[in-house]
Amino acid sequence: MSTRKTRGARHHRNHHHDDDFTPKPLHQQQQHHSSTPPTHHHHHQQPKLRFVKKSELDSSSASDSLLTSDPVAPPAFDNVTPPPHESHKEEENNNIGASDAVTVTREVDHMARESNSKEGDDDDADDYVVDRLHRLLDALEEPQLMEEHLSTNDQLQQDELLVVESIYGENVKNLESCKGLRCLQIQIHIEVLGEIAVVAKLNSSNEPDVASGNSDDFLYSFKVQYLPPIVLTCLLPKSYPSHQPPLFTVSVQWLESLDILSLCSQLDSIWAEQQGQEVIYQWVDWLQSSTLSHLGFDKEIILGRNGVNCVGDDRVVSGSISLDTAIPFLRGYNKERHNENFLKELHECSICYSEYPGTEFVRLPCQHFFCLKCLQTFTQMHVKEGTISSLQCPDSKCKVMIPPGLLKHLLGDEEYERWESMMLEKTLASMSDVAYCPRCETPCIEDEDQHAQCSKCFFSFCTLCRERRHVGIACMTLDMKLQILQDRQNSSQLKEDQKLREREKINEMLSIKEIHRDSKLCPSCSMAINRTEGCNKMKCSNCEAYFCYRCNKLIDPSDPYGHFRDGSCELFPQEMIENWQERINHRQVVGQLQAELFPQRGLPCPNCRQFNAKVGNNNHMFCWACQSHYCYLCNEIVRRGSKHYGPKGCKQHTEG
């Protein structure tokens, strides 16, 4: 499987020029070369090592030296409260994640388009590594070999490359030959069983501080399932494998130089054990399976434990400049690998229970995902019905709102405009000092005297009765307005069109009066609400406020049933409870009616002494009060009818 790569953030380090370089034996450390290449982080790309040539460092601008990170979800803290500045960063990252929300659709084509734009970056990274291999080759003293040995080595190298390419496939890349020597690069994906924790000990300045006992230290931890690959680049000298090992560099974007140096030493040990044999496959296999255990990362990966990022060995290429870049890089790579796997697999939509590939799904900020068709139908239905407060994650236990950016993708232009309009109306309705002009319905600001003036038509009105402003005069009630309009209908001075308009207003007032008669107004937004059945705990569909239908008072939304525990208001009306009991125990109601209609035919229950009437010729009685079974003839409790009735017992059916 091919792995996309992302450039790290360029970070300026102190580098010496090549003019000062003096070739030294391979086993000696090069003290004047930094092992940490400048790197880049590139947004929305899969992590990849990004190296910059020294010539670029001299001409780079100050702005390029800033550290950036991918817009991924912020790392989670394990039982630790982050300092204030970390909380601020976390809020910013959350805002980014919610606005982008997630649409997972059509991302495969996007990855294909990105591959062309990264070819130049790959060339820069390869040049940086090849430059290091050149220095290692200049320091190498190759023995003089006979033509026969050289031919044998060449054939062994060719066979080994074919084997490695057949095993690791697209993870192997052949670089341009260096002085006629073969050069290849292998991306090695570390094996992780399940998930592994990544832990960094930080102080208040966000720098690694492992040994310090400062009280400001805190642990920064998260879990990943996929780790960025180790990049092993090998240059095969002519004396390999008979006399010399391959020249190599080990590039790891998230490990410190000391840890990478330890890996290089282990590769040297593997060569020493089987000197004279092909060793590249053994190196790759060991790095893939034993890297974490060798570094002591069996249970958790500790970032920044050494605090040293320069070892002077040209074989070591570390991109771990600081925890500010390493942590987002690890989380971003893990997230993108999860997303890649999601797009390739089949998933079941929890709404329609149909299976689709991951490209047909939309993932919400809460990480729940649904097929595109169902989510479009869901959002369009709520916008059409006006229930925009229900535009939440369709999962029954999740209340995360669908972000506006995703709604714009799911809705059509007209539907989205309708959603925006309803959101504006809902926001204005929630403001206590906003009233609508009765003439043109323009929102107006209410003053201290419950008066307002429209900024559009300049009409001054009372916000209580929505009539013309009347200073010092009480508002007319609905009945008073209705009576005046009805009296005016009998006047002969009104024209027909005026009578028609007033008649329509009368009908509207009568409808409002009927609504108010059978309903109550929400104490928060004054929306008329009618309860047809159920408890007295009501939730307004307009402002989502909770209130008691009996006393019409607002109640605490965090504990809406607490209002009914003190006994001042009952949760269910008593008549409703009695009605339910009749429907639930229909047999009991029938038994009571029969006992009242036929008092002369029956016997009291031997268990509760409640009278039960005998109807028909069946002697098997059922008490409507205690639910007991007994015999009408002997008046004894019947446990099993097959044993009580029969030739040796009572007759089950008799007249009278």
Side-chain angles (χ1 to χ4, degrees):
M1 180 182 67
S2 61
T3 305
R4 295 188 300 160
K5 304 177 180 179
T6 302
R7 295 185 294 174
R10 180 179 297 172
H11 185 73
H12 287 191
R13 310 279 296 189
N14 292 327
H15 288 267
H16 293 283
H17 296 286
D18 289 341
D19 299 336
D20 299 330
F21 174 74
T22 303
K24 293 186 179 181
L26 194 60
H27 64 276
Q28 296 183 7
Q29 294 183 347
Q30 314 259 351
Q31 299 295 338
H32 53 281
H33 287 291
S34 169
S35 61
T36 305
T39 55
H40 279 273
H41 272 296
H42 194 279
H43 293 296
H44 305 295
Q45 294 183 7
Q46 183 153 347
K48 170 171 174 52
L49 294 173
R50 164 72 167 108
F51 303 106
V52 181
K53 295 183 288 187
K54 294 181 180 179
S55 59
E56 293 183 60
L57 289 175
D58 298 334
S59 61
S60 59
S61 61
S63 61
D64 291 335
S65 65
L66 297 176
L67 296 177
T68 59
S69 60
D70 291 338
V72 297
F77 291 93
D78 289 349
N79 302 324
V80 178
T81 302
H85 62 276
E86 282 297 314
S87 301
H88 178 66
K89 292 180 180 178
E90 193 163 331
E91 291 175 2
E92 293 179 351
N93 288 337
N94 281 333
N95 291 336
I96 293 174
S99 61
D100 291 351
V102 87
T103 79
V104 185
T105 57
R106 318 298 187 268
E107 195 163 318
V108 173
D109 294 338
H110 177 64
M111 290 190 292
R113 290 193 300 269
E114 282 185 342
S115 61
N116 295 329
S117 64
K118 294 190 293 180
E119 290 181 357
D121 300 337
D122 294 344
D123 294 339
D124 292 339
D126 297 341
D127 291 344
Y128 183 84
V129 174
V130 170
D131 182 58
R132 288 188 168 226
L133 292 174
H134 280 171
R135 294 201 293 267
L136 294 173
L137 183 62
D138 293 339
L140 178 67
E141 296 181 0
E142 285 201 76
Q144 296 294 328
L145 300 179
M146 298 177 60
E147 189 65 29
E148 181 181 355
H149 287 167
L150 292 176
S151 177
T152 302
N153 285 342
D154 183 73
Q155 185 62 42
L156 291 174
Q157 290 179 16
Q158 185 177 352
D159 294 342
E160 184 179 23
L161 291 182
L162 288 175
V163 172
V164 171
E165 288 177 354
S166 64
I167 295 175
Y168 298 103
E170 296 179 351
N171 292 323
V172 180
K173 181 174 70 172
N174 289 313
L175 303 181
E176 293 183 5
S177 60
C178 174
K179 297 182 180 180
L181 303 179
R182 292 184 175 89
C183 188
L184 75 155
Q185 189 175 81
I186 309 173
Q187 289 190 354
I188 305 167
H189 297 277
I190 303 173
E191 295 179 352
V192 178
L193 297 177
E195 290 186 334
I196 188 170
V198 180
V199 180
K201 188 175 182 181
L202 304 176
N203 54 33
S204 57
S205 60
N206 266 7
E207 293 297 330
D209 188 13
V210 177
S212 171
N214 192 344
S215 60
D216 293 334
D217 296 345
F218 62 94
L219 291 179
Y220 198 64
S221 66
F222 55 95
K223 290 185 177 182
V224 296
Q225 186 177 353
Y226 303 100
L227 291 170
I230 297 173
V231 181
L232 176 66
T233 308
C234 296
L235 180 65
L236 309 183
K238 294 181 178 180
S239 56
Y240 170 76
S242 61
H243 294 77
Q244 296 286 351
L247 303 176
F248 66 89
T249 62
V250 177
S251 308
V252 189
Q253 187 76 358
W254 50 276
L255 276 181
E256 292 181 294
S257 296
L258 284 179
D259 292 330
I260 302 177
L261 183 62
S262 177
L263 300 179
C264 294
S265 300
Q266 185 62 28
L267 299 187
D268 292 337
S269 300
I270 295 175
W271 163 257
E273 292 174 359
Q274 53 188 56
Q275 190 170 355
Q277 301 179 20
E278 298 91 327
V279 76
I280 294 179
Y281 172 76
Q282 283 76 10
W283 281 358
V284 175
D285 183 64
W286 184 88
L287 288 172
Q288 186 176 31
S289 60
S290 304
T291 293
L292 295 182
S293 59
H294 175 75
L295 298 176
F297 294 158
D298 300 273
K299 296 182 179 180
E300 63 181 13
I301 297 174
I302 304 176
L303 299 179
R305 60 177 180 176
N306 301 313
V308 178
N309 209 35
C310 181
V311 296
D313 192 329
D314 275 330
R315 300 180 301 175
V316 176
V317 183
S318 172
S320 180
I321 300 173
S322 69
L323 298 180
D324 285 336
T325 57
I327 291 174
F329 178 72
L330 285 169
R331 291 180 63 89
Y333 179 85
N334 182 67
K335 181 180 179 180
E336 291 190 13
R337 281 292 301 275
H338 273 293
N339 188 43
E340 282 184 5
N341 293 339
F342 180 87
L343 294 176
K344 296 175 182 177
E345 297 171 355
L346 288 175
H347 306 276
E348 183 183 73
C349 175
S350 56
I351 297 178
C352 64
Y353 297 103
S354 300
E355 282 194 349
Y356 301 101
T359 52
E360 298 299 323
F361 281 81
V362 176
R363 190 188 298 273
L364 300 178
C366 55
Q367 301 306 311
H368 292 125
F369 54 88
F370 309 91
C371 74
L372 181 62
K373 294 180 180 178
C374 287
L375 209 54
Q376 283 179 332
T377 304
F378 174 80
T379 53
Q380 291 169 359
M381 175 189 68
H382 282 296
V383 170
K384 183 178 180 180
E385 295 179 355
T387 54
I388 57 173
S389 59
S390 298
L391 286 172
Q392 303 172 341
C393 173
D395 189 275
S396 58
K397 298 180 180 179
C398 184
K399 299 297 182 183
V400 175
M401 298 297 296
I402 300 177
L406 183 55
L407 283 175
K408 193 170 186 179
H409 173 73
L410 297 172
L411 300 172
D413 293 338
E414 294 183 2
E415 294 167 331
Y416 187 73
E417 289 179 2
R418 173 175 165 80
W419 173 81
E420 285 185 321
S421 176
M422 288 189 295
M423 281 296 297
L424 177 60
E425 292 178 3
K426 183 179 178 181
T427 303
L428 293 175
S430 64
M431 302 171 65
S432 59
D433 59 344
V434 173
Y436 287 89
C437 175
R439 290 185 176 178
C440 62
E441 294 298 325
T442 301
C444 307
I445 301 298
E446 182 185 48
D447 60 19
E448 298 177 354
D449 300 324
Q450 283 78 42
H451 294 147
Q453 184 176 18
C454 179
S455 59
K456 186 176 181 180
C457 65
F458 303 104
F459 177 63
S460 295
F461 61 96
C462 171
T463 58
L464 299 178
C465 62
R466 293 172 60 85
E467 296 293 338
R468 188 183 299 275
R469 185 174 182 178
H470 48 84
V471 180
I473 303 175
C475 298
M476 288 190 296
T477 63
L478 182 64
D479 291 334
M480 295 171 61
K481 295 179 185 178
L482 189 59
Q483 185 63 42
I484 292 175
L485 291 175
Q486 288 175 341
D487 293 342
R488 284 167 58 89
Q489 287 293 307
N490 300 324
S491 175
S492 59
Q493 298 179 356
L494 288 179
K495 296 181 179 180
E496 286 300 324
D497 57 344
Q498 180 67 16
K499 282 187 177 182
L500 182 60
R501 286 196 298 269
E502 291 188 0
R503 192 177 299 116
E504 291 177 353
K505 197 167 186 179
I506 289 173
N507 293 334
E508 182 181 352
M509 288 182 176
L510 289 173
S511 299
I512 294 174
K513 187 177 180 180
E514 186 66 21
I515 291 174
H516 288 179
R517 184 177 66 85
D518 294 331
S519 62
K520 291 191 176 182
L521 300 181
C522 171
S524 176
C525 65
S526 300
M527 174 70 73
I529 298 176
N530 183 25
R531 186 195 65 188
T532 57
E533 194 173 24
C535 65
N536 286 321
K537 178 189 73 67
M538 305 295 289
K539 181 181 178 181
C540 177
S541 59
N542 182 51
C543 65
E544 298 186 351
Y546 287 88
F547 68 96
C548 175
Y549 195 78
R550 187 174 183 274
C551 65
N552 207 41
K553 291 182 179 179
L554 289 171
I555 55 181
D556 185 9
S558 62
D559 184 22
Y561 293 100
H563 174 77
F564 304 96
R565 293 194 187 102
D566 57 5
S568 58
C569 292
E570 55 188 11
L571 183 59
F572 290 96
Q574 189 61 35
E575 61 272 13
M576 190 173 292
I577 296 175
E578 294 174 356
N579 188 23
W580 287 342
Q581 288 177 344
E582 290 180 2
R583 286 188 291 174
I584 293 172
N585 194 2
H586 176 71
R587 196 170 183 178
Q588 177 179 346
V589 177
V590 173
Q592 287 178 309
L593 291 175
Q594 290 175 347
E596 293 177 1
L597 293 174
F598 309 104
Q600 70 281 4
R601 298 180 57 189
L603 288 174
C605 171
N607 184 45
C608 66
R609 310 308 300 171
Q610 187 65 251
F611 182 81
N612 292 268
K614 178 186 176 183
V615 179
N617 60 357
N618 193 352
N619 293 323
H620 186 80
M621 307 289 291
F622 176 76
C623 179
W624 60 267
C626 66
Q627 316 294 310
S628 298
H629 296 262
Y630 66 98
C631 178
Y632 178 76
L633 297 178
C634 64
N635 202 29
E636 292 183 0
I637 298 294
V638 177
R639 304 295 179 186
R640 296 184 65 179
S642 59
K643 290 185 177 181
H644 185 82
Y645 304 105
K648 296 182 181 180
C650 298
K651 292 184 178 181
Q652 185 172 355
H653 298 89
T654 59
E655 293 293 335

